[in-house]
Amino acid sequence: MTALGAGPILAAAITPIVGDSSHVLAAKPNHEAPALPANFPAQYISQLAWTPAHFPDQSQYTLVLTPTDIDELNRALAHFKSLGYDGDLVEPRYFPLPTLGLKLKEVSNDVYNGKGFGIVRGIDTTAYPVEDLTLLYLGIQSYVAEQRGRQDKCGNMLVHIVADNSTKQAAEHHRHSNKAITFHNEEAGDVVCWLTRSTAASGGKCIIASAYTIYNVLAATRPDIIRTLARSDWPFALPRFQCRPIIFNEDSKLIMNFGRAALLGNEAHPRPKHLPSLTSRQIEALDAIEAIAQATQMEIKTQAGDIHFINNLAILHRREGFVDGESLATRRHLVRMRLRSAEHGWSIPKDLSHEWDEAFKKHAAKHWHLEPMPAFFFALRRHPN
């Protein structure tokens, strides 16, 4: 395989896969392998193409807040509250972080133009009421990517990811299940971000993988799968029916966007029978993505107070299964947001633009629930206004 000479990261990713001739991704003889699609490169040379060996020290992707940083955050919080504004107006001009803000701008640049992910660590979630904790979360987030997206048709801006076995449907939904889930992207948002309010008694690690590394492995071993992924005949059922590719080469950047539930259905989202099913080649391609992602994945042990920022265009994420404890402090609770930066935002392919517009441009209701809400509720009031 001449491609193994293309660099240590690509070599490290390919070697354990092609070394097994029975592996689904074992390289095909050259005469069987079709050429890559015309607009896709043989390899993406990018900081986004990594394996875990590239990050031997968590300090390479973790910004640990110092006591000085915490003092600055507390002053910004007090200043914002003194203005009397609604919480959704948190932004740098109302939440001044003259020193920490510069560090957070570096996180933003790294998420978009570097490795594609970062963690801000050091907030004590037990030291603040939930209102203040949420304002701190929004204040930090506003320096990384200031545009906030609606995450569903209800207009939820803060999605609470907690285990919920109150109904069978809830227990099977990926937001509320405690089962492991496969690698995927969120359906919209340049950046997916979440605050960990509390962690599970066991399990629940954040696991990520580089779409760039996955592409480079496939391009070197199974270019036919790249052709399959780039075809516009993938029948997505969610959030609306649409046939489109899984991968795009937009402005010389690789963009990957998919989720198995939207293509195969699951118990929470059964696939309508009238929709076309995936072909055997498409299922093979999904399995190839999952296999390479798992072979090159990086596991991050999360702490309460961590704020994760993941490039949703270039990095896949999943979680391992987990078991909650009896106390609130040992029950996994994440608060997710979908974000975009006006300064660093990538060009979005036309096939994905509808979801981005729905999230970031549509003038519609926005709900900021500080705690998990049932699927159906009435906003009851004691007074009319």
Side-chain angles (χ1 to χ4, degrees):
M1 293 286 298
T2 57
L4 293 181
I9 296 176
L10 181 58
I14 293 178
T15 300
I17 295 171
V18 300
D20 180 0
S21 60
S22 66
H23 199 288
V24 65
L25 299 173
K28 288 188 174 184
N30 289 336
H31 69 274
E32 293 183 24
L36 291 165
N39 61 327
F40 283 86
Q43 181 184 3
Y44 282 96
I45 307 297
S46 170
Q47 293 182 62
L48 288 163
W50 48 257
T51 65
H54 204 61
F55 310 109
D57 192 324
Q58 66 177 7
S59 65
Q60 293 175 268
Y61 53 82
T62 306
L63 170 60
V64 179
L65 299 174
T66 67
T68 301
D69 295 331
I70 297 297
D71 287 343
E72 192 170 276
L73 281 167
N74 288 335
R75 288 194 299 271
L77 174 63
H79 174 74
F80 180 81
K81 291 171 69 174
S82 73
L83 299 175
Y85 292 160
D86 289 342
D88 62 338
L89 294 178
V90 173
E91 58 183 78
R93 61 176 169 165
Y94 303 138
F95 200 92
L97 298 172
T99 302
L100 177 58
L102 298 177
K103 300 178 187 178
L104 295 173
K105 288 294 185 183
E106 292 178 5
V107 174
S108 176
N109 185 61
D110 203 23
V111 168
Y112 272 101
N113 304 311
K115 64 181 71 71
F117 64 97
I119 301 172
V120 177
R121 174 170 290 169
I123 292 180
D124 180 358
T125 58
T126 66
Y128 302 93
V130 65
E131 295 85 357
D132 288 358
L133 181 62
T134 303
L135 291 175
L136 288 172
Y137 176 30
L138 297 178
I140 289 171
Q141 162 263 305
S142 69
Y143 281 83
V144 177
E146 79 288 354
Q147 297 179 21
R148 301 163 182 139
R150 300 166 72 249
Q151 299 192 62
D152 52 36
K153 293 180 180 178
C154 295
N156 284 306
M157 303 297 289
L158 302 173
V159 165
H160 295 266
I161 302 176
V162 294
D164 178 5
N165 61 0
S166 60
T167 65
K168 188 175 186 296
Q169 184 177 21
E172 293 297 333
H173 195 291
H174 66 272
R175 286 185 191 174
H176 304 305
S177 168
N178 64 355
K179 299 176 183 177
I181 56 177
T182 56
F183 280 103
H184 63 282
N185 310 95
E186 298 301 317
E187 62 203 27
D190 298 14
V191 178
V192 58
C193 165
W194 63 85
L195 164 68
T196 299
R197 285 196 192 173
S198 53
T199 58
S202 64
K205 286 196 293 282
C206 165
I207 304 174
I208 59 175
S210 164
Y212 277 58
T213 297
I214 294 167
Y215 176 94
N216 286 346
V217 171
L218 288 173
T221 60
R222 291 290 305 274
D224 58 307
I225 292 181
I226 295 293
R227 294 185 69 86
T228 298
L229 294 170
R231 289 175 60 92
S232 59
D233 59 354
W234 288 84
F236 285 80
L238 300 170
R240 62 194 174 97
F241 177 69
Q242 178 190 20
C243 288
R244 64 164 174 85
I246 282 180
I247 60 172
F248 307 84
N249 184 39
E250 190 80 9
D251 291 345
S252 299
K253 291 183 174 72
L254 173 69
I255 292 177
M256 181 178 287
N257 185 275
F258 81 104
R260 281 182 173 248
L263 292 165
L264 297 171
N266 57 24
E267 289 196 46
H269 300 288
R271 187 172 179 84
K273 293 182 179 180
H274 67 276
L275 295 183
S277 300
L278 298 193
T279 66
S280 59
R281 287 188 177 221
Q282 288 175 324
I283 292 174
E284 180 190 33
L286 289 184
D287 290 343
I289 290 176
E290 186 70 17
I292 301 173
Q294 291 194 21
T296 60
Q297 71 185 21
M298 186 165 76
E299 298 184 1
I300 301 174
K301 181 149 179 76
T302 302
Q303 301 178 14
D306 282 357
I307 302 177
H308 290 245
F309 295 94
I310 307 293
N311 185 322
N312 188 49
L313 305 170
I315 306 296
L316 305 182
H317 64 280
R318 73 177 184 92
R319 69 147 189 269
E320 65 173 353
F322 64 93
V323 177
D324 278 342
E326 293 297 323
S327 68
L328 287 176
T330 58
R331 296 178 188 172
R332 188 175 186 266
H333 186 171
L334 311 184
V335 185
R336 189 189 71 197
M337 297 192 72
R338 293 175 180 170
L339 311 172
R340 180 170 170 82
S341 165
E343 178 182 1
H344 296 300
W346 292 10
S347 295
I348 302 303
K350 184 177 180 181
D351 283 322
L352 301 180
S353 62
H354 180 270
E355 272 58 59
W356 260 251
D357 289 347
E358 286 284 305
F360 295 100
K361 295 182 179 181
K362 185 174 182 178
H363 295 289
K366 296 180 179 180
H367 298 295
W368 300 81
H369 298 303
L370 300 185
E371 298 290 357
M373 297 291 290
F376 303 99
F377 68 93
F378 297 94
L380 297 178
R381 297 180 179 181
R382 186 180 298 272
H383 304 292
N385 286 303

